[in-house]
Amino acid sequence: MDRRFIGNFKLPPASYGAIFGILTLTLWVALYDRVLVPKILATKLLNHPNGIPNKHRMGIGLLISCLATAVAGAVEHRRRWTAATGRIMSANWLIPQHCLTGLGEAFSIIGQIEFYYSQFPPSMRSVAMALVSLGLGAGNLAGSLIVSVVDDITGKGGGRVSWVGNDLNRGHYDYYYWLLAVLSVGNFFYYLVCSWAYGSDDRKLWDAVEVGSGDDDEAGREMKIVV
């Protein structure tokens, strides 16, 4: 692929996700927190202090991740066709999928962190980041497992080339991305079931009440379950 970005300036192959994904995430968080929530969402449209409720934000993030993998499959399909005709495709076509990935993370990951912070008692809020990191680690392991399974199934017998082989033009990474899109859609519906089973995130499972006095705020608090 032609990696020229502006003029003759070329971006390193591995930097597209880091640059455009993180840039999109950063810009969206700033725009959402400083403009959309205080001036539009919290006052005029949704009348919610956090703008979009946390569970809705996580769901939107999952939907965007489905779209990102589908777009990645379409771009890869186009790249293979371009390579077969002897032409070179611009690597800038990779930018939309990485921007969508960053936007999906801005919705899902940050919404997940804020959800944990709103539902956990103060003494357990440090667990929120641990749970997010645990989920990311489990996702990476699941991704490695999917790659191994796809490689074993699609590369067996008859001289077939694996979808995720080293030769991009002979492999079918477009099929692999579309498989991930289907799995992401299934994950989204699973999330809907879990979200429905949990109920409203406006309710507080825990509440902190003052039971004593003293200079140390933490010493004068105990946790109780609100039913």
Side-chain angles (χ1 to χ4, degrees):
M1 300 184 79
D2 184 3
R3 294 184 286 106
R4 286 179 295 181
F5 182 59
I6 299 176
N8 291 324
F9 176 73
K10 293 184 178 181
L11 291 175
S15 66
Y16 279 84
I19 293 176
F20 297 104
I22 295 177
L23 182 62
T24 302
L25 187 152
T26 303
L27 292 177
W28 171 255
V29 169
L31 177 66
Y32 180 84
D33 187 61
R34 297 301 179 183
V35 178
L36 294 181
V37 171
K39 296 184 178 180
I40 300 176
L41 296 178
T43 57
K44 298 179 180 179
L45 293 181
L46 301 179
N47 195 27
H48 192 279
N50 294 329
I52 304 174
N54 294 326
K55 291 202 302 180
H56 291 66
R57 291 169 67 183
M58 289 187 282
I60 292 172
L62 293 177
L63 277 179
I64 295 176
S65 69
C66 299
L67 179 60
T69 50
V71 170
V75 171
E76 173 60 18
H77 186 76
R78 177 69 179 182
R79 188 206 63 78
R80 291 186 76 255
W81 179 85
T82 303
T85 59
R87 292 181 292 176
I88 299 177
M89 183 177 178
S90 173
N92 292 333
W93 283 99
L94 299 174
I95 295 176
Q97 67 196 55
H98 291 300
C99 290
L100 287 172
T101 300
L103 185 62
E105 290 181 357
F107 273 99
S108 60
I109 300 298
I110 297 178
Q112 187 178 357
I113 294 174
E114 292 189 3
F115 173 78
Y116 289 149
Y117 268 73
S118 67
Q119 299 299 301
F120 284 3
S123 60
M124 292 182 61
R125 285 177 180 171
S126 60
V127 180
M129 287 304 301
L131 288 177
V132 172
S133 300
L134 178 63
L136 293 175
N140 290 332
L141 289 176
S144 299
L145 177 62
I146 292 173
V147 170
S148 298
V149 171
V150 170
D151 185 42
D152 290 340
I153 293 177
T154 60
K156 281 185 177 179
R160 292 186 301 174
V161 178
S162 170
W163 287 3
V164 291
N166 294 328
D167 191 336
L168 298 180
N169 294 329
R170 296 185 63 196
H172 273 286
Y173 278 88
D174 48 350
Y175 295 169
Y176 170 70
Y177 287 135
W178 286 331
L179 173 63
L180 292 183
V182 172
L183 294 177
S184 297
V185 171
N187 182 56
F188 171 72
F189 283 105
Y190 174 71
Y191 169 77
L192 291 182
V193 173
C194 294
S195 178
W196 170 81
Y198 183 84
S200 174
D201 59 346
D202 289 331
R203 64 194 178 101
K204 300 293 184 181
L205 294 179
W206 298 83
D207 193 14
V209 294
E210 296 289 338
V211 296
S213 59
D215 295 334
D216 189 355
D217 291 336
E218 294 298 329
R221 291 179 180 272
E222 71 174 5
M223 309 311 301
K224 73 174 183 178
I225 299 179
V226 177
V227 295

